[in-house]
Amino acid sequence: GAPRRDMQPAEFQSLLRASAGRVGKKRPSPAARFKQVLMFLWLTGCRPKEAATLHWSDVDFSSGLIVLKEHKTIRTQATPKPRVIPMDAVVAKLLLSIKKREEGDYVFLNYRRTPWDRHSLSHRVQRARAKAGIPDVVTLYGTRHAFGTRGILNGCDLKTLSTVMGHTNVRQTEHYLHLAAQKSH
Protein backbone atom coordinates (compact mmCIF):
# COMPACT_ATOMS: atom_id res chain seq x y z
CA GLY A 1 0.00 0.00 0.00
CA ALA A 2 0.85 3.68 0.16
CA PRO A 3 3.42 4.84 2.70
CA ARG A 4 2.05 5.64 6.14
CA ARG A 5 1.69 9.33 6.58
CA ASP A 6 0.27 11.57 9.23
CA MET A 7 -2.45 13.94 8.21
CA GLN A 8 -1.02 17.36 9.04
CA PRO A 9 -3.12 19.69 11.23
CA ALA A 10 -3.35 22.19 8.34
CA GLU A 11 -4.56 19.43 5.99
CA PHE A 12 -7.12 18.35 8.57
CA GLN A 13 -8.39 21.94 8.88
CA SER A 14 -8.57 22.22 5.07
CA LEU A 15 -10.59 18.99 4.86
CA LEU A 16 -12.95 20.30 7.56
CA ARG A 17 -13.43 23.55 5.65
CA ALA A 18 -13.98 21.64 2.40
CA SER A 19 -16.58 19.54 4.22
CA ALA A 20 -18.45 22.52 5.63
CA GLY A 21 -22.15 21.92 5.62
CA ARG A 22 -25.23 22.63 7.65
CA VAL A 23 -25.71 21.06 11.04
CA GLY A 24 -28.83 22.56 12.45
CA LYS A 25 -32.42 21.80 13.25
CA LYS A 26 -32.90 20.12 9.87
CA ARG A 27 -31.03 17.02 8.82
CA PRO A 28 -27.29 17.69 8.50
CA SER A 29 -25.94 17.91 4.97
CA PRO A 30 -23.83 15.03 3.58
CA ALA A 31 -20.72 17.18 4.05
CA ALA A 32 -21.63 17.98 7.66
CA ARG A 33 -22.12 14.28 8.39
CA PHE A 34 -18.68 13.50 6.91
CA LYS A 35 -17.17 16.34 8.95
CA GLN A 36 -18.45 14.67 12.13
CA VAL A 37 -16.78 11.38 11.16
CA LEU A 38 -13.57 13.28 10.35
CA MET A 39 -13.61 15.05 13.75
CA PHE A 40 -14.22 11.75 15.54
CA LEU A 41 -11.31 10.04 13.75
CA TRP A 42 -8.95 12.94 14.45
CA LEU A 43 -9.83 13.08 18.16
CA THR A 44 -9.92 9.35 18.93
CA GLY A 45 -7.35 7.72 16.62
CA CYS A 46 -9.98 5.17 15.61
CA ARG A 47 -9.67 3.24 12.39
CA PRO A 48 -12.15 4.48 9.75
CA LYS A 49 -13.89 1.08 9.79
CA GLU A 50 -14.32 1.31 13.58
CA ALA A 51 -16.10 4.65 13.20
CA ALA A 52 -18.24 3.35 10.32
CA THR A 53 -19.39 0.33 12.34
CA LEU A 54 -19.73 2.11 15.70
CA HIS A 55 -23.03 1.37 17.45
CA TRP A 56 -24.61 3.40 20.24
CA SER A 57 -24.38 0.26 22.40
CA ASP A 58 -20.55 0.67 22.18
CA VAL A 59 -20.69 4.19 23.65
CA ASP A 60 -20.83 4.55 27.44
CA PHE A 61 -21.31 8.22 28.29
CA SER A 62 -21.34 7.56 32.06
CA SER A 63 -17.85 6.00 32.06
CA GLY A 64 -16.58 8.22 29.22
CA LEU A 65 -15.54 5.15 27.23
CA ILE A 66 -16.20 3.60 23.85
CA VAL A 67 -15.93 -0.19 24.08
CA LEU A 68 -15.54 -2.06 20.80
CA LYS A 69 -16.33 -5.74 21.20
CA GLU A 70 -15.40 -6.36 17.54
CA HIS A 71 -12.16 -4.85 16.22
CA LYS A 72 -9.31 -5.53 13.83
CA THR A 73 -6.84 -7.04 16.32
CA ILE A 74 -9.24 -9.19 18.37
CA ARG A 75 -8.46 -12.38 16.42
CA THR A 76 -4.69 -11.96 16.97
CA GLN A 77 -4.99 -11.50 20.73
CA ALA A 78 -4.10 -14.47 22.95
CA THR A 79 -7.00 -13.50 25.21
CA PRO A 80 -9.54 -11.59 23.10
CA LYS A 81 -10.33 -8.29 24.79
CA PRO A 82 -12.53 -5.43 23.67
CA ARG A 83 -10.83 -2.26 22.46
CA VAL A 84 -11.44 0.57 24.91
CA ILE A 85 -11.27 4.14 23.63
CA PRO A 86 -11.40 7.00 26.14
CA MET A 87 -13.72 9.89 25.25
CA ASP A 88 -12.64 13.40 26.09
CA ALA A 89 -15.21 16.18 26.58
CA VAL A 90 -15.07 17.21 22.90
CA VAL A 91 -15.74 13.66 21.66
CA ALA A 92 -18.57 13.21 24.20
CA LYS A 93 -20.15 16.51 23.09
CA LEU A 94 -19.85 15.51 19.41
CA LEU A 95 -21.47 12.11 20.05
CA LEU A 96 -24.24 13.59 22.22
CA SER A 97 -25.13 16.06 19.45
CA ILE A 98 -25.41 13.15 16.99
CA LYS A 99 -27.39 11.00 19.44
CA LYS A 100 -30.03 13.74 19.73
CA ARG A 101 -31.00 13.06 16.12
CA GLU A 102 -32.18 9.57 17.15
CA GLU A 103 -31.53 8.02 13.76
CA GLY A 104 -30.84 4.42 14.71
CA ASP A 105 -28.33 1.95 16.12
CA TYR A 106 -25.26 3.23 14.26
CA VAL A 107 -23.52 6.39 15.46
CA PHE A 108 -22.39 7.67 12.06
CA LEU A 109 -24.89 7.59 9.24
CA ASN A 110 -24.59 9.06 5.79
CA TYR A 111 -27.21 11.31 4.23
CA ARG A 112 -29.39 8.30 3.31
CA ARG A 113 -29.35 7.38 7.01
CA THR A 114 -27.42 4.20 6.32
CA PRO A 115 -24.06 3.35 7.89
CA TRP A 116 -20.95 4.63 6.14
CA ASP A 117 -18.74 2.07 4.46
CA ARG A 118 -15.16 2.18 3.22
CA HIS A 119 -16.22 3.29 -0.26
CA SER A 120 -18.55 6.10 0.79
CA LEU A 121 -15.96 7.45 3.25
CA SER A 122 -13.22 7.15 0.64
CA HIS A 123 -15.34 8.92 -1.98
CA ARG A 124 -16.16 11.72 0.46
CA VAL A 125 -12.48 12.23 1.39
CA GLN A 126 -11.53 12.33 -2.32
CA ARG A 127 -14.08 15.08 -2.93
CA ALA A 128 -12.92 17.08 0.11
CA ARG A 129 -9.26 16.68 -0.94
CA ALA A 130 -10.02 17.88 -4.47
CA LYS A 131 -11.98 20.86 -3.16
CA ALA A 132 -9.21 21.74 -0.65
CA GLY A 133 -6.37 21.14 -3.13
CA ILE A 134 -4.74 18.55 -0.86
CA PRO A 135 -2.53 15.76 -2.31
CA ASP A 136 -3.85 12.21 -2.66
CA VAL A 137 -1.37 10.88 -0.08
CA VAL A 138 -3.63 12.45 2.56
CA THR A 139 -5.99 9.65 3.57
CA LEU A 140 -8.61 9.12 6.22
CA TYR A 141 -6.22 6.66 7.91
CA GLY A 142 -3.79 9.59 8.20
CA THR A 143 -5.97 10.89 11.06
CA ARG A 144 -5.02 7.75 13.00
CA HIS A 145 -1.32 8.22 12.26
CA ALA A 146 -1.55 11.87 13.33
CA PHE A 147 -3.22 10.77 16.59
CA GLY A 148 -0.35 8.36 17.31
CA THR A 149 2.30 10.98 16.59
CA ARG A 150 0.50 13.61 18.71
CA GLY A 151 0.34 11.08 21.54
CA ILE A 152 4.12 10.60 21.50
CA LEU A 153 4.80 14.35 21.11
CA ASN A 154 2.51 15.04 24.08
CA GLY A 155 4.44 12.63 26.29
CA CYS A 156 2.15 9.59 26.23
CA ASP A 157 4.14 6.45 27.00
CA LEU A 158 4.25 3.68 24.38
CA LYS A 159 2.32 1.12 26.45
CA THR A 160 -0.61 3.50 27.08
CA LEU A 161 -0.66 4.73 23.47
CA SER A 162 -0.50 1.12 22.24
CA THR A 163 -3.55 0.25 24.39
CA VAL A 164 -5.52 3.34 23.33
CA MET A 165 -4.80 2.66 19.65
CA GLY A 166 -5.74 -1.00 19.95
CA HIS A 167 -2.38 -2.39 18.87
CA THR A 168 -1.61 -6.02 19.73
CA ASN A 169 1.90 -5.08 20.80
CA VAL A 170 4.06 -2.05 21.46
CA ARG A 171 6.16 -2.75 18.32
CA GLN A 172 3.29 -1.46 16.16
CA THR A 173 3.20 1.74 18.21
CA GLU A 174 6.96 2.33 17.99
CA HIS A 175 6.39 3.54 14.42
CA TYR A 176 5.03 6.76 15.93
CA LEU A 177 8.29 7.35 17.82
CA HIS A 178 10.01 7.57 14.43
CA LEU A 179 7.38 9.98 13.04
CA ALA A 180 7.50 12.10 16.21
CA ALA A 181 11.31 12.28 16.01
CA GLN A 182 11.05 13.65 12.46
CA LYS A 183 8.54 16.26 13.63
CA SER A 184 10.63 17.48 16.55
CA HIS A 185 13.65 18.27 14.33
Side-chain angles (χ1 to χ4, degrees):
R4 288 191 198 177
R5 180 181 176 294
D6 289 15
M7 181 182 291
Q8 301 306 308
E11 293 167 337
F12 172 69
Q13 292 301 327
S14 294
L15 282 179
L16 284 180
R17 279 193 300 279
S19 303
R22 324 178 294 285
V23 178
K25 300 228 184 306
K26 291 186 169 64
R27 283 200 338 200
S29 68
R33 286 176 182 270
F34 174 68
K35 190 175 182 175
Q36 290 174 323
V37 174
L38 200 56
M39 285 293 302
F40 179 80
L41 293 174
W42 182 260
L43 295 169
T44 62
C46 278
R47 298 172 179 100
K49 184 179 181 190
E50 291 170 339
T53 58
L54 186 65
H55 287 80
W56 287 114
S57 57
D58 301 326
V59 180
D60 184 348
F61 288 105
S62 59
S63 68
L65 298 172
I66 296 166
V67 181
L68 303 178
K69 291 157 217 71
E70 296 292 322
H71 56 90
K72 181 184 174 186
T73 51
I74 199 156
R75 41 181 207 284
T76 58
Q77 293 174 336
T79 310
K81 288 189 288 292
R83 172 153 142 63
V84 178
I85 301 151
M87 274 191 288
D88 67 6
V90 180
V91 172
K93 187 177 174 189
L94 170 70
L95 294 180
L96 281 167
S97 73
I98 295 168
K99 190 162 179 58
K100 281 185 192 145
R101 296 198 298 252
E102 296 182 3
E103 292 180 323
D105 296 336
Y106 285 90
V107 174
F108 298 104
L109 299 175
N110 62 27
Y111 195 64
R112 287 179 221 89
R113 293 190 185 174
T114 59
W116 289 91
D117 61 45
R118 219 163 39 81
H119 303 293
S120 53
L121 283 171
S122 174
H123 179 70
R124 184 52 73 175
V125 87
Q126 284 169 5
R127 286 178 49 192
R129 267 196 320 244
K131 189 173 172 185
I134 295 172
D136 289 352
V137 292
V138 176
T139 64
L140 221 43
Y141 218 87
T143 57
R144 181 167 166 79
H145 298 310
F147 179 88
T149 302
R150 286 195 316 269
I152 296 288
L153 290 172
N154 289 322
C156 185
D157 66 279
L158 273 177
K159 183 72 188 113
T160 303
L161 187 60
S162 179
T163 302
V164 169
M165 293 191 76
H167 289 155
T168 42
N169 60 52
V170 178
R171 276 198 320 277
Q172 292 171 282
T173 318
E174 285 172 350
H175 170 74
Y176 298 106
L177 276 176
H178 172 67
L179 293 173
Q182 290 174 335
K183 286 233 184 345
S184 58
H185 286 309

